[in-house]
Amino acid sequence: MKQTLIQTHSRIKPFIHKTPVLTSQLLNEKAGCNLFFKCENFQKMGAFKMRGAANAILSLTEEKRKRGVVTHSSGNFAQAVSLAAQKLGVKSYIVMPENAPQVKKDGVKTYEGEIIECESTPQAREATANKIKEEKGASFLHPSNQDEVIYGNATAAMELLGDYPDLDVILTPVGGGGLIAGTALAAHYFSENCKVVGGEPMEADDAYRSLFSGKIETNDSFHTIADGLRTHLGDRNFPIIQKHVEKIIRVEEDEIISAMQLIWERMKIIIEPSCAVPFAAVLKNKEEFKNKNIGIIITGGNVDLKNLPF
C-alpha cells in the first residue's frame, strides 16, 4: 500500500499544486496548541478533490477515457472532475443537486463539464448518474468511495507529513469519508505515531454514529452550513476509517461559523464552512490537544461570497 500511495503521488504531481502550509501565532494561542494548516483552498479548482479526481481519471484505460466520465457532487468534486477531465481531453458529465451553490455550478461550466441537475437527495444523484453511465458508457467516478479517489486524497496528508513529520494529530472534516480515509492511510504509512481525528457537524453526524454502531449510518437531517459534509460514508472508505481513525468530534453550527470567521479574519484566507469544522473541534476540545502539533487540512475555498454566514 505504501508503494501504491507513492506511485499515486508521482502520477498526479503534474496535475496538482503542492499547496502551502500556513500557521498563525494568534490562532495557536487561542487553541493552546501548534496548528499547521494544509491549505488545499489554494489547490487547482480550489479544493483537495482535484487530487482524487486526477488519480481516478489517470487510472482509466485509454478506451474508457474516450467514453467520458460521470460523477455526482454538490460542488467540489464536480469541479475537480470537470477540470481534470478537461486537462486530459476527456468528456465529463456532472450530476448536481438543484440547490448546489451557483458558484460551484459556474465552476463546472468553466471547465467544460456538462451539468445534469437532479433533486437534492443521495438517491436521486445516484439514479441520475447511473442513467448517464448506461446511456453514454461513461465511467462512474465516486466523490469519496473509490480506491483511486481515496489514494489521491491521501497525498495532501503525505505532503503535510513530508513538511512536518512531528505532527501528533491530523484533523480533517468528514463528509463522504474519502479524505479522512486517505489521510488515515497517509498517517499510518508515512508517520511514526500521528493520529487522525475527524470533525463533523452535529446536524450531519452519520460518521460519528457509524463508528459506534459498526455499520454505515445515514443522516435524516442535512441542516448544516457545511454543505460539503452532507453525504454519508461508503463501503470502501468505512473499513479504513474504522481501522485507522482515532475518533470523530462533533461541533454545533455556531461553533463552525465562529471558527470559519476566525480563520478569515486572522489568516486572511477564504475557506468554505466545511473546512472550519476540524478547527472548531480543536477549539471545543482544547484540553485534548493542548501543546500538541496539530495538522488541519483546509479542504477548500469555493464559497458563495454573496451568501456568507457572518
Side-chain angles (χ1 to χ4, degrees):
M1 172 56 72
K2 186 171 186 177
Q3 208 42 49
T4 303
L5 294 176
I6 291 168
Q7 283 163 354
T8 297
H9 197 214
S10 52
R11 182 186 300 129
I12 68 174
K13 259 184 188 166
F15 298 93
I16 60 166
H17 293 313
K18 182 178 185 216
T19 50
V21 178
L22 298 184
T23 58
S24 158
Q25 200 47 51
L26 193 129
L27 294 187
N28 287 352
E29 283 164 19
K30 228 172 175 42
C33 55
N34 303 310
L35 297 161
F36 299 88
F37 294 94
K38 174 70 170 162
C39 291
E40 288 291 293
N41 50 332
F42 296 138
Q43 188 51 266
K44 289 184 180 181
M45 54 64 54
F48 78 92
K49 299 272 188 182
M50 187 63 186
R51 296 172 181 271
N55 191 46
I57 297 175
L58 286 162
S59 302
L60 292 173
T61 61
E62 204 53 53
E63 191 48 50
K64 283 185 170 166
R65 287 190 210 177
K66 283 197 184 101
R67 291 200 292 271
V69 291
V70 57
T71 191
H72 56 72
S73 161
S74 65
N76 281 340
F77 195 69
Q79 292 181 79
V81 168
S82 42
L83 176 56
Q86 182 191 47
K87 294 250 181 260
L88 290 160
V90 173
K91 167 80 181 164
S92 64
Y93 303 96
I94 313 292
V95 176
M96 296 184 86
E98 54 210 358
N99 64 352
Q102 191 58 44
V103 62
K104 293 184 178 180
K105 289 180 186 173
D106 294 344
V108 170
K109 288 177 186 157
T110 308
Y111 306 134
E112 299 173 358
E114 186 180 315
I115 296 177
I116 301 94
E117 291 196 5
C118 70
E119 271 180 73
S120 181
T121 66
Q123 294 79 1
R125 288 180 184 202
E126 278 163 30
T128 313
N130 282 333
K131 190 162 170 265
I132 294 162
K133 189 178 151 186
E134 278 159 27
E135 283 172 9
K136 313 278 185 188
S139 293
F140 178 67
L141 305 182
H142 197 284
S144 54
N145 194 43
Q146 182 177 334
D147 294 354
E148 294 79 8
V149 171
I150 294 167
Y151 302 157
N153 293 345
T155 60
M158 285 162 66
E159 289 175 6
L160 177 57
L161 286 162
D163 290 340
Y164 296 94
D166 296 335
L167 293 178
D168 298 302
V169 185
I170 298 177
L171 287 101
T172 81
V174 189
L179 176 64
I180 196 165
T183 302
L185 289 175
H188 181 69
Y189 290 105
F190 296 92
S191 77
E192 287 303 307
N193 49 12
C194 177
K195 294 181 168 59
V196 172
V197 171
E200 200 172 34
M202 283 282 186
E203 293 291 332
D205 68 346
D206 53 297
Y208 174 86
R209 286 180 284 113
S210 302
L211 279 186
F212 279 103
S213 72
K215 65 184 204 302
I216 296 170
E217 302 287 349
T218 53
N219 291 314
D220 299 325
S221 129
F222 295 99
H223 302 299
T224 175
I225 186 172
D227 61 290
L229 309 184
R230 292 174 186 155
T231 46
H232 50 78
L233 305 178
D235 60 347
R236 301 303 301 165
N237 58 48
F238 184 45
I240 300 170
I241 293 166
Q242 280 181 302
K243 191 171 175 187
H244 297 299
V245 171
E246 189 75 4
K247 65 191 294 194
I248 291 173
I249 297 169
R250 298 178 298 172
V251 291
E252 303 285 358
E253 292 300 294
D254 58 345
E255 292 169 326
I256 299 172
I257 294 166
S258 128
M260 180 180 175
Q261 188 166 359
L262 259 177
I263 289 177
W264 277 60
E265 284 175 354
R266 299 301 171 186
M267 297 183 72
K268 320 295 180 212
I269 58 174
I270 290 179
I271 67 159
E272 50 195 80
S274 303
C275 315
V277 172
F279 179 46
V282 172
L283 293 175
K284 187 173 189 163
N285 292 266
K286 288 185 187 174
E287 212 37 59
E288 185 179 334
F289 299 109
K290 197 173 178 181
N291 297 331
K292 290 184 174 166
N293 295 327
I294 308 294
I296 290 183
I297 297 187
I298 296 277
T299 45
N302 296 320
V303 187
D304 183 351
L305 294 174
K306 295 188 190 74
N307 192 19
L308 293 176
F310 41 73

